[in-house]
Amino acid sequence: MTDDRIMTIREMCDAFDVTPRTLRFYEAKELLFPIREGQKRLFTKRDRARLKLILRGKRFGFSLEEIRQLLDLYHMGDQQQTQLARTYEIAQQRLSDMESQRDELNQAIDELKEQMRWGEKMLASMDQSKKAAE
Amino acid sequence: MTDDRIMTIREMCDAFDVTPRTLRFYEAKELLFPIREGQKRLFTKRDRARLKLILRGKRFGFSLEEIRQLLDLYHMGDQQQTQLARTYEIAQQRLSDMESQRDELNQAIDELKEQMRWGEKMLASMDQSKKAAE
DNA sequence: ATGGGAATTTACGTTGACGTAACTCAAACG
DNA sequence: CGTTTGAGTTACGTCAACGTAAATTCCCAT
């Protein structure tokens, strides 16, 4: 099974399109725990699963610290009711953050579009601001 | 005319909901040019107009440096054809940035929602990830 | 044995937009 | 006249997620 294959840092980098620095950084931040055979790091299936979750988390806009907490929560096993609830809560918070962020963005886009409406209004606006700025 | 009234830094802070540090910072970055009467800063109508544009720019997601460039462009007067074109260009770039950012955000939201679909799928997903992470 | 190519460690640098501390200075109040 | 404000300056601190440089160590092939 190439599934539980052990990978070097370079293989990981190529597989996930990240730099070595990033992987060491994640290890330092206790997001990954590669096996330390002598000097070298060996990344297992476990690390690949975690890295996948990390990268997904980043796409979702979680900070590394939030991701670590989520990873820890679900990793620390039992009382899964509570843990899951907490995880879910965090995810929902993030979701609502993202939605309001999107809404703000949409509003800003609308405003900017309005402002740019065939350059004319923009010119007018700038003229006005210019007068005001003198 | 209370319109060309001159304002102290505190009045400005209250009027625009910013800190003194922010106003001094903007001055240092050459975004504002309050009159320096002795030690004190006196903010004119011009500064208020500029600050309005600055804050609007920030809502639009421009960096302070971009804002400064825009302000400089339109401030430096003539050849308004070229200047306006350039301004318009920058604004359009920003707009398309914002739109793609919004799209990414929407996609992330969709993914996250899917992931959270009645917690059940989330539990399953986590179980899976958990197995994989062991 | 020697040169090369990975991988490692340590530690400082980067970016943006301010926050914050420490100290000075001047007007204003009681 | 003492002191409380309010403003000012200087300069270092913050946060995130790495980038980057320098020096070292490791194994492998020539």
Side-chain angles (χ1 to χ4, degrees):
Chain A
M1 315 124 199
T2 68
D3 194 23
D4 7 2
R5 228 176 69 68
I6 260 172
M7 293 172 70
T8 71
I9 200 169
R10 182 105 311 273
E11 288 170 327
M12 287 292 282
C13 291
D14 293 345
F16 291 92
D17 192 34
V18 293
T19 68
R21 178 71 178 96
T22 299
L23 294 179
R24 297 192 195 105
F25 183 75
Y26 288 170
E27 184 186 1
K29 292 283 175 181
E30 309 200 80
L31 290 161
L32 294 179
F33 307 96
I35 302 169
R36 303 305 300 271
E37 185 145 332
Q39 282 292 53
K40 305 198 167 175
R41 290 167 173 83
L42 296 176
F43 297 84
T44 67
K45 185 181 164 187
R46 172 178 58 104
D47 297 302
R48 289 193 290 277
R50 292 179 71 96
L51 183 52
K52 259 183 215 170
L53 291 177
I54 292 168
L55 296 180
R56 175 189 292 173
K58 292 205 64 180
R59 287 208 318 279
F60 289 166
F62 289 97
S63 71
L64 289 186
E65 175 55 21
E66 287 172 322
I67 292 171
R68 194 187 58 72
Q69 288 178 28
L70 290 173
L71 249 32
D72 283 359
L73 278 183
Y74 104 94
H75 177 266
M76 289 177 72
D78 290 329
Q79 296 166 334
Q80 262 141 356
Q81 303 311 92
T82 320
Q83 309 288 15
L84 179 57
R86 181 84 188 102
T87 302
Y88 197 78
E89 196 181 307
I90 294 179
Q92 263 181 338
Q93 179 58 50
R94 187 83 269 280
L95 179 58
S96 95
D97 283 356
M98 287 167 66
E99 282 176 335
S100 68
Q101 193 183 332
R102 177 201 54 190
D103 292 345
E104 279 182 49
L105 208 48
N106 272 325
Q107 196 189 334
I109 289 172
D110 288 347
E111 285 184 52
L112 187 49
K113 272 185 178 167
E114 179 62 25
Q115 202 65 212
M116 291 176 68
R117 215 163 174 174
W118 236 121
E120 207 168 349
K121 275 199 72 170
M122 184 131 188
L123 181 55
S125 162
M126 289 172 66
D127 258 6
Q128 222 184 343
S129 302
K130 187 164 188 179
K131 281 185 213 158
E134 283 170 352
Chain B
M1 317 126 195
T2 68
D3 193 25
D4 5 0
R5 226 177 70 68
I6 260 173
M7 294 173 69
T8 70
I9 199 169
R10 182 106 309 275
E11 289 171 326
M12 288 291 281
C13 292
D14 293 345
F16 292 93
D17 193 34
V18 294
T19 69
R21 178 70 177 96
T22 299
L23 293 178
R24 298 193 194 105
F25 183 76
Y26 288 171
E27 184 186 0
K29 292 284 175 179
E30 310 199 81
L31 290 163
L32 294 178
F33 307 96
I35 302 168
R36 302 306 298 270
E37 185 144 333
Q39 281 294 53
K40 305 199 167 176
R41 289 165 173 85
L42 296 176
F43 296 84
T44 69
K45 184 181 165 188
R46 172 178 57 103
D47 298 302
R48 289 195 289 280
R50 292 179 71 95
L51 183 52
K52 258 183 216 169
L53 291 178
I54 291 168
L55 297 179
R56 176 190 291 173
K58 292 205 64 181
R59 287 208 318 281
F60 289 165
F62 289 97
S63 71
L64 290 185
E65 175 56 20
E66 287 172 321
I67 292 172
R68 193 188 60 71
Q69 288 179 28
L70 290 173
L71 249 33
D72 283 0
L73 277 182
Y74 105 93
H75 178 268
M76 289 176 75
D78 290 328
Q79 297 167 333
Q80 260 141 358
Q81 303 310 94
T82 321
Q83 309 288 15
L84 181 56
R86 180 84 188 101
T87 302
Y88 197 77
E89 195 180 307
I90 293 179
Q92 263 181 340
Q93 179 57 50
R94 187 84 269 281
L95 179 57
S96 94
D97 283 357
M98 287 167 67
E99 283 176 334
S100 67
Q101 193 182 331
R102 178 200 53 190
D103 293 345
E104 279 181 48
L105 207 48
N106 272 325
Q107 196 188 335
I109 288 172
D110 288 347
E111 283 185 51
L112 187 49
K113 273 184 179 168
E114 179 62 26
Q115 202 66 213
M116 292 175 67
R117 215 163 175 177
W118 238 123
E120 205 168 351
K121 274 198 72 169
M122 184 132 188
L123 180 56
S125 163
M126 290 170 68
D127 257 6
Q128 224 184 341
S129 303
K130 189 164 189 180
K131 281 185 215 158
E134 282 170 352

